[in-house]
Amino acid sequence: MSDVIKSPAGPLWIDLAEESLPQASLRRVALLSVLITLIGLGGVLLWASLASVDSAVPASGVVVASGKRKTVTLLEGGILHELLVHEGDQVRAGQVLLRLDDVQVRAARDQAKVQYWSATAKTTRLAAEAADQRTLAFPAQLRDVAATDPAVDAAMAAETKQFEVRWNALDSSVRVQDRKVAQQQAQIASIQAQTASIQTRLGFIEEELKGVNFLMSRGLSTKSRQLELMRTQAEMRGQIGQLNAQHVQAMQTIGQIQ
């Protein structure tokens, strides 16, 4: 029974061993070839890095930019007035390549100059008005600029006109106020005159009333006469009170006007 089992195992093991022998030989040959190649390549690289070259081969060449078109960046845009270089020209650092039209720049500069001198003229006018000056004197530098710049001259003339108009308006307002004050003062004088007249008449009425009271004590005068004089006395005192109130109101009006 055991012989039958071992008999097939022997030939099978022998076949496997015989097939593995050629494969192992080929693997060793391949590894040896790779090793020899690496050693040779390493030697060549080592020689190239350490050995000195006694001669060189000269050759000519041209260095060119990666692209023919180059972008020129400007700080401010504008209209091209003059192009000073062309394609293929050699340029150096700091060389002027082009010129822009300066019409817009000059217009902006002139406008800023006019605004500055106009503001100077206005400041001068306001300072003169604040100081209650009757004459407007512009700085000499402003007058010099106005002599050559019509826009500045027009601005200075406008401020002069404004100065005169404002003074005329102020004078007119003052005259109106003066007239109002004069009217109130005249009214006060009239009130004072009326008050004085009524006070004088009131004094007479009071004297007469004293006499009537004396006569009534002796039966020589009537009660109706006494009452009439007392009514007149009360009316006059009321009129004096109204006049005094009008006097106070007139004084307050003058204070508001001034």
Side-chain angles (χ1 to χ4, degrees), residues 41-68:
L41 181 60
V44 172
L45 293 176
L46 181 62
W47 174 83
S49 61
L50 298 178
S52 59
V53 180
D54 296 334
S55 61
V57 179
S60 61
V62 178
V63 178
V64 296
S66 60
K68 293 184 178 180

Side-chain angles (χ1 to χ4, degrees), residues 2-34:
S2 60
D3 293 339
V4 175
I5 295 173
K6 292 179 180 180
S7 177
L12 179 61
W13 178 82
I14 293 172
D15 293 338
L16 293 174
E18 290 175 355
E19 291 178 359
S20 62
L21 288 176
Q23 293 179 358
S25 299
L26 292 175
R27 188 178 296 109
R28 284 195 297 271
V29 172
L31 291 175
L32 183 60
S33 300
V34 172

Side-chain angles (χ1 to χ4, degrees), residues 240-255:
I240 292 175
Q242 291 178 356
L243 291 173
N244 289 335
Q246 293 177 4
H247 182 274
V248 172
Q249 184 177 2
M251 293 297 295
Q252 291 177 350
T253 302
I254 292 176

